[in-house]
Amino acid sequence: SCRGTFEALASSLVTGINHAMARLVDIWDSIGIMEEQRIERMQTVKKYIEDLLTDMITEEESLRHRIKTSIITTRKQLETLCLELSVEPYKVEEDLTVLQLEKNLRCHLEALQKEKTERLRELNDLRQQDEELCVTLCATPYYIPSGSMPSRTQLQELQEHIKKLSEEKESRVKVFSGLRKDIRRLMDEMGHEPETSLERESVCPDTDIFLLTHENIQALKLLLSQLEVKKESLVSARDKLKDRAISLWNRLSCPEEEAKEFEQEALTTLSDDIRRWQCVVDHLEVLQRAKLEEVIDKARQELVVWWNKCMFGPEQKEPFNAYFCDDNYTEELLNLHDSELLKVKEFYKVARPLLENLEKWEKNWALFQDFERKAADPNRFSNRGGALLKESKDRAKVQKLLPKLEEELKARVDTWETEQGCTFLMKGQSVMEYISRQWEEYRSQKDKEKNERMSKKADSTLFKTPSKRPHGPGSSGMTPNKIKKTPNQLSLRTTTMSSSASSVSSTFLCVPGKPPLSAKVKPPLPSLVHSVCDPPCLILPCYIA
């Protein structure tokens, strides 16, 4: 029926528009409007109707959007309320229109909000009753987290709790014996002797001397409360002393024999236990004052290790004056060192990848310098088993690796400085400045060594004239194995000596810049083939049987 009504209205609307257009055409005819103007006016009418319908559609779309938004919001609120109230989630009926769904959700939300308000009001009333009874009876209030929504079960439990407190209030006589028993127990646990008349009467075996009045019952409850607070205070003091003793024992690394105090069970009363732990703490504090300097020195040693790991220079160490200036060994000084250690360790944690790269560069730089020192040592030619060849390969590997490491370091340092907003210092200098200085010192040392060699060579030339060594009788049948010489490389010559007794292979290593061995060896060995080296070579025979 609704659909038929809708179609009838739509048909009526179309008919109405057609009648209106016909009337407009009649009016235009009577006025005498031309065809082109009629078309323009028809387009204007069409646009007007379309705009009107578009506005209406927009308004209806907006309404639909608001309804859908309301549904989403209401559903979220319902989910939250269901969780707060601990009720089953609301199940939406099927085949509902958007409008019906929104209405159902809204009505259910209002019902849950009303229930929430009622629960909160009931909770406030019950809490007020509970607090009043607890103040009267010195009882513990029923715990419901503040700001949370109580469930029906919690409210029921709270009602039961209040009922019990009410019954307890009505039976004060029964409470009396329990209070006396509790008071006596607390006094025994603490080692507390009765001081006031109320305390003496509460532990007296004669019950007739104690009047069962409301004031006396409250006085006993108050006394019990005071004794409980005192016990908590004594327990807290005992635990603090024990924790202090354990801390001192661990810091001082005391022998295991002294740990027996920690294994003993608690004494009969709290007072005796506190006195025992106080004696232990006093003893350990005396030991600490005697060893405080040693403990702080250990902390300083550890700090130096971490400074070195972080490659700190003097400028980075000096701000911590407690290390350099303060010799007053106190716990405050120890705490300062512990704080500085934490700070340095945190820096190492952040800069660890970069520091590891720097350590790798320094290790290879040390290898490079070691290879350079070996290259200048003539004694290295006396090796056997191919050590020279291995050394040459290792040296080439290090020389190739150093530039790569320096490029990688530069990139890492730039990244680190950009992220941290400060300069990364290595032993008080920027990383690239430190590396550049190492290379400058290396070149200066090489130039110095070169000048010294040239000076010695000049002095040697003034006093000695190199001469050729004579050929031995058996030299005519020997042919040297020639090896091509390259700059800064050794000149290697091999000859073979024959004799009636044995065959010996002889290897000669020529080091540029050294005087010939013939100037020092007399008489010359037979069957040695000498060669001309420019500059003169030091010929070192190395015989291999």
PDB file of all heavy atoms in Angstrom, residues 333-351:
ATOM      1  N   LEU A 333      80.334  10.770  47.951  1.00  0.00           N
ATOM      2  CA  LEU A 333      81.328  10.659  46.882  1.00  0.00           C
ATOM      3  C   LEU A 333      81.126   9.376  46.093  1.00  0.00           C
ATOM      4  O   LEU A 333      81.234   9.356  44.851  1.00  0.00           O
ATOM      5  CB  LEU A 333      82.738  10.706  47.477  1.00  0.00           C
ATOM      6  CG  LEU A 333      83.910  10.646  46.471  1.00  0.00           C
ATOM      7  CD1 LEU A 333      83.858  11.844  45.538  1.00  0.00           C
ATOM      8  CD2 LEU A 333      85.237  10.594  47.208  1.00  0.00           C
ATOM      9  N   LEU A 334      80.818   8.289  46.785  1.00  0.00           N
ATOM     10  CA  LEU A 334      80.556   7.029  46.090  1.00  0.00           C
ATOM     11  C   LEU A 334      79.330   7.142  45.185  1.00  0.00           C
ATOM     12  O   LEU A 334      79.332   6.643  44.054  1.00  0.00           O
ATOM     13  CB  LEU A 334      80.361   5.917  47.121  1.00  0.00           C
ATOM     14  CG  LEU A 334      80.056   4.518  46.564  1.00  0.00           C
ATOM     15  CD1 LEU A 334      81.180   4.043  45.660  1.00  0.00           C
ATOM     16  CD2 LEU A 334      79.831   3.534  47.696  1.00  0.00           C
ATOM     17  N   ASN A 335      78.293   7.821  45.672  1.00  0.00           N
ATOM     18  CA  ASN A 335      77.093   8.008  44.846  1.00  0.00           C
ATOM     19  C   ASN A 335      77.395   8.840  43.603  1.00  0.00           C
ATOM     20  O   ASN A 335      76.847   8.591  42.520  1.00  0.00           O
ATOM     21  CB  ASN A 335      75.998   8.676  45.673  1.00  0.00           C
ATOM     22  CG  ASN A 335      75.484   7.784  46.789  1.00  0.00           C
ATOM     23  OD1 ASN A 335      75.564   6.565  46.685  1.00  0.00           O
ATOM     24  ND2 ASN A 335      74.975   8.375  47.855  1.00  0.00           N
ATOM     25  N   LEU A 336      78.270   9.840  43.739  1.00  0.00           N
ATOM     26  CA  LEU A 336      78.659  10.655  42.580  1.00  0.00           C
ATOM     27  C   LEU A 336      79.353   9.793  41.531  1.00  0.00           C
ATOM     28  O   LEU A 336      79.096   9.922  40.319  1.00  0.00           O
ATOM     29  CB  LEU A 336      79.581  11.789  43.022  1.00  0.00           C
ATOM     30  CG  LEU A 336      78.941  12.920  43.835  1.00  0.00           C
ATOM     31  CD1 LEU A 336      79.997  13.895  44.311  1.00  0.00           C
ATOM     32  CD2 LEU A 336      77.892  13.657  43.012  1.00  0.00           C
ATOM     33  N   HIS A 337      80.224   8.899  41.965  1.00  0.00           N
ATOM     34  CA  HIS A 337      80.922   8.024  41.019  1.00  0.00           C
ATOM     35  C   HIS A 337      79.948   7.047  40.356  1.00  0.00           C
ATOM     36  O   HIS A 337      80.063   6.769  39.156  1.00  0.00           O
ATOM     37  CB  HIS A 337      82.034   7.258  41.740  1.00  0.00           C
ATOM     38  CG  HIS A 337      83.269   8.069  41.965  1.00  0.00           C
ATOM     39  ND1 HIS A 337      83.363   9.038  42.951  1.00  0.00           N
ATOM     40  CD2 HIS A 337      84.464   8.095  41.311  1.00  0.00           C
ATOM     41  CE1 HIS A 337      84.561   9.587  42.908  1.00  0.00           C
ATOM     42  NE2 HIS A 337      85.254   9.039  41.923  1.00  0.00           N
ATOM     43  N   ASP A 338      79.007   6.544  41.133  1.00  0.00           N
ATOM     44  CA  ASP A 338      78.012   5.645  40.532  1.00  0.00           C
ATOM     45  C   ASP A 338      77.181   6.364  39.469  1.00  0.00           C
ATOM     46  O   ASP A 338      76.890   5.807  38.400  1.00  0.00           O
ATOM     47  CB  ASP A 338      77.085   5.095  41.620  1.00  0.00           C
ATOM     48  CG  ASP A 338      77.805   4.108  42.536  1.00  0.00           C
ATOM     49  OD1 ASP A 338      78.844   3.575  42.108  1.00  0.00           O
ATOM     50  OD2 ASP A 338      77.347   3.889  43.663  1.00  0.00           O
ATOM     51  N   SER A 339      76.833   7.617  39.739  1.00  0.00           N
ATOM     52  CA  SER A 339      76.058   8.390  38.753  1.00  0.00           C
ATOM     53  C   SER A 339      76.876   8.639  37.495  1.00  0.00           C
ATOM     54  O   SER A 339      76.358   8.530  36.372  1.00  0.00           O
ATOM     55  CB  SER A 339      75.627   9.727  39.370  1.00  0.00           C
ATOM     56  OG  SER A 339      74.816   9.523  40.500  1.00  0.00           O
ATOM     57  N   GLU A 340      78.154   8.966  37.651  1.00  0.00           N
ATOM     58  CA  GLU A 340      79.011   9.203  36.484  1.00  0.00           C
ATOM     59  C   GLU A 340      79.190   7.928  35.675  1.00  0.00           C
ATOM     60  O   GLU A 340      79.210   7.955  34.441  1.00  0.00           O
ATOM     61  CB  GLU A 340      80.374   9.735  36.936  1.00  0.00           C
ATOM     62  CG  GLU A 340      81.338  10.061  35.804  1.00  0.00           C
ATOM     63  CD  GLU A 340      80.896  11.253  34.966  1.00  0.00           C
ATOM     64  OE1 GLU A 340      79.984  11.981  35.413  1.00  0.00           O
ATOM     65  OE2 GLU A 340      81.453  11.447  33.868  1.00  0.00           O
ATOM     66  N   LEU A 341      79.287   6.791  36.373  1.00  0.00           N
ATOM     67  CA  LEU A 341      79.398   5.514  35.666  1.00  0.00           C
ATOM     68  C   LEU A 341      78.165   5.250  34.813  1.00  0.00           C
ATOM     69  O   LEU A 341      78.262   4.819  33.656  1.00  0.00           O
ATOM     70  CB  LEU A 341      79.584   4.381  36.681  1.00  0.00           C
ATOM     71  CG  LEU A 341      81.028   4.042  37.058  1.00  0.00           C
ATOM     72  CD1 LEU A 341      81.050   3.067  38.224  1.00  0.00           C
ATOM     73  CD2 LEU A 341      81.788   3.476  35.877  1.00  0.00           C
ATOM     74  N   LEU A 342      77.001   5.501  35.364  1.00  0.00           N
ATOM     75  CA  LEU A 342      75.766   5.312  34.595  1.00  0.00           C
ATOM     76  C   LEU A 342      75.738   6.213  33.374  1.00  0.00           C
ATOM     77  O   LEU A 342      75.322   5.803  32.282  1.00  0.00           O
ATOM     78  CB  LEU A 342      74.551   5.595  35.487  1.00  0.00           C
ATOM     79  CG  LEU A 342      74.275   4.580  36.597  1.00  0.00           C
ATOM     80  CD1 LEU A 342      73.121   5.054  37.466  1.00  0.00           C
ATOM     81  CD2 LEU A 342      73.960   3.214  36.008  1.00  0.00           C
ATOM     82  N   LYS A 343      76.211   7.448  33.532  1.00  0.00           N
ATOM     83  CA  LYS A 343      76.223   8.406  32.431  1.00  0.00           C
ATOM     84  C   LYS A 343      77.154   7.946  31.314  1.00  0.00           C
ATOM     85  O   LYS A 343      76.803   7.991  30.124  1.00  0.00           O
ATOM     86  CB  LYS A 343      76.656   9.769  32.966  1.00  0.00           C
ATOM     87  CG  LYS A 343      76.754  10.861  31.925  1.00  0.00           C
ATOM     88  CD  LYS A 343      77.222  12.154  32.563  1.00  0.00           C
ATOM     89  CE  LYS A 343      77.453  13.241  31.508  1.00  0.00           C
ATOM     90  NZ  LYS A 343      77.981  14.484  32.130  1.00  0.00           N
ATOM     91  N   VAL A 344      78.363   7.492  31.686  1.00  0.00           N
ATOM     92  CA  VAL A 344      79.339   7.058  30.676  1.00  0.00           C
ATOM     93  C   VAL A 344      78.854   5.785  29.986  1.00  0.00           C
ATOM     94  O   VAL A 344      79.007   5.629  28.767  1.00  0.00           O
ATOM     95  CB  VAL A 344      80.718   6.852  31.332  1.00  0.00           C
ATOM     96  CG1 VAL A 344      81.711   6.308  30.316  1.00  0.00           C
ATOM     97  CG2 VAL A 344      81.244   8.158  31.899  1.00  0.00           C
ATOM     98  N   LYS A 345      78.269   4.873  30.754  1.00  0.00           N
ATOM     99  CA  LYS A 345      77.761   3.638  30.145  1.00  0.00           C
ATOM    100  C   LYS A 345      76.634   3.934  29.158  1.00  0.00           C
ATOM    101  O   LYS A 345      76.527   3.279  28.110  1.00  0.00           O
ATOM    102  CB  LYS A 345      77.268   2.693  31.237  1.00  0.00           C
ATOM    103  CG  LYS A 345      78.393   2.067  32.049  1.00  0.00           C
ATOM    104  CD  LYS A 345      77.836   1.171  33.156  1.00  0.00           C
ATOM    105  CE  LYS A 345      78.962   0.573  33.995  1.00  0.00           C
ATOM    106  NZ  LYS A 345      78.441  -0.276  35.093  1.00  0.00           N
ATOM    107  N   GLU A 346      75.815   4.908  29.468  1.00  0.00           N
ATOM    108  CA  GLU A 346      74.741   5.286  28.549  1.00  0.00           C
ATOM    109  C   GLU A 346      75.310   5.871  27.263  1.00  0.00           C
ATOM    110  O   GLU A 346      74.824   5.593  26.165  1.00  0.00           O
ATOM    111  CB  GLU A 346      73.813   6.296  29.228  1.00  0.00           C
ATOM    112  CG  GLU A 346      72.595   6.669  28.404  1.00  0.00           C
ATOM    113  CD  GLU A 346      71.660   5.512  28.152  1.00  0.00           C
ATOM    114  OE1 GLU A 346      71.664   4.556  28.964  1.00  0.00           O
ATOM    115  OE2 GLU A 346      70.944   5.531  27.127  1.00  0.00           O
ATOM    116  N   PHE A 347      76.379   6.682  27.386  1.00  0.00           N
ATOM    117  CA  PHE A 347      77.033   7.230  26.194  1.00  0.00           C
ATOM    118  C   PHE A 347      77.610   6.099  25.341  1.00  0.00           C
ATOM    119  O   PHE A 347      77.473   6.103  24.109  1.00  0.00           O
ATOM    120  CB  PHE A 347      78.147   8.196  26.609  1.00  0.00           C
ATOM    121  CG  PHE A 347      78.979   8.688  25.455  1.00  0.00           C
ATOM    122  CD1 PHE A 347      78.575   9.764  24.680  1.00  0.00           C
ATOM    123  CD2 PHE A 347      80.174   8.062  25.121  1.00  0.00           C
ATOM    124  CE1 PHE A 347      79.330  10.203  23.613  1.00  0.00           C
ATOM    125  CE2 PHE A 347      80.939   8.498  24.052  1.00  0.00           C
ATOM    126  CZ  PHE A 347      80.516   9.572  23.301  1.00  0.00           C
ATOM    127  N   TYR A 348      78.246   5.123  25.988  1.00  0.00           N
ATOM    128  CA  TYR A 348      78.834   4.011  25.238  1.00  0.00           C
ATOM    129  C   TYR A 348      77.746   3.214  24.515  1.00  0.00           C
ATOM    130  O   TYR A 348      77.946   2.769  23.378  1.00  0.00           O
ATOM    131  CB  TYR A 348      79.595   3.099  26.197  1.00  0.00           C
ATOM    132  CG  TYR A 348      80.246   1.921  25.504  1.00  0.00           C
ATOM    133  CD1 TYR A 348      81.453   2.061  24.835  1.00  0.00           C
ATOM    134  CD2 TYR A 348      79.640   0.664  25.510  1.00  0.00           C
ATOM    135  CE1 TYR A 348      82.050   0.987  24.192  1.00  0.00           C
ATOM    136  CE2 TYR A 348      80.215  -0.417  24.868  1.00  0.00           C
ATOM    137  CZ  TYR A 348      81.430  -0.248  24.213  1.00  0.00           C
ATOM    138  OH  TYR A 348      82.005  -1.318  23.567  1.00  0.00           O
ATOM    139  N   LYS A 349      76.610   3.068  25.172  1.00  0.00           N
ATOM    140  CA  LYS A 349      75.506   2.330  24.547  1.00  0.00           C
ATOM    141  C   LYS A 349      75.036   3.030  23.275  1.00  0.00           C
ATOM    142  O   LYS A 349      74.753   2.373  22.268  1.00  0.00           O
ATOM    143  CB  LYS A 349      74.358   2.205  25.547  1.00  0.00           C
ATOM    144  CG  LYS A 349      73.169   1.435  25.034  1.00  0.00           C
ATOM    145  CD  LYS A 349      72.071   1.359  26.088  1.00  0.00           C
ATOM    146  CE  LYS A 349      70.847   0.615  25.564  1.00  0.00           C
ATOM    147  NZ  LYS A 349      69.768   0.567  26.587  1.00  0.00           N
ATOM    148  N   VAL A 350      74.964   4.363  23.322  1.00  0.00           N
ATOM    149  CA  VAL A 350      74.497   5.109  22.148  1.00  0.00           C
ATOM    150  C   VAL A 350      75.553   5.115  21.041  1.00  0.00           C
ATOM    151  O   VAL A 350      75.237   4.953  19.860  1.00  0.00           O
ATOM    152  CB  VAL A 350      74.148   6.562  22.568  1.00  0.00           C
ATOM    153  CG1 VAL A 350      73.799   7.397  21.337  1.00  0.00           C
ATOM    154  CG2 VAL A 350      72.988   6.564  23.550  1.00  0.00           C
ATOM    155  N   ALA A 351      76.837   5.288  21.430  1.00  0.00           N
ATOM    156  CA  ALA A 351      77.901   5.460  20.433  1.00  0.00           C
ATOM    157  C   ALA A 351      78.652   4.171  20.154  1.00  0.00           C
ATOM    158  O   ALA A 351      79.716   4.199  19.533  1.00  0.00           O
ATOM    159  CB  ALA A 351      78.879   6.538  20.910  1.00  0.00           C
TER     160      ALA A 351
END
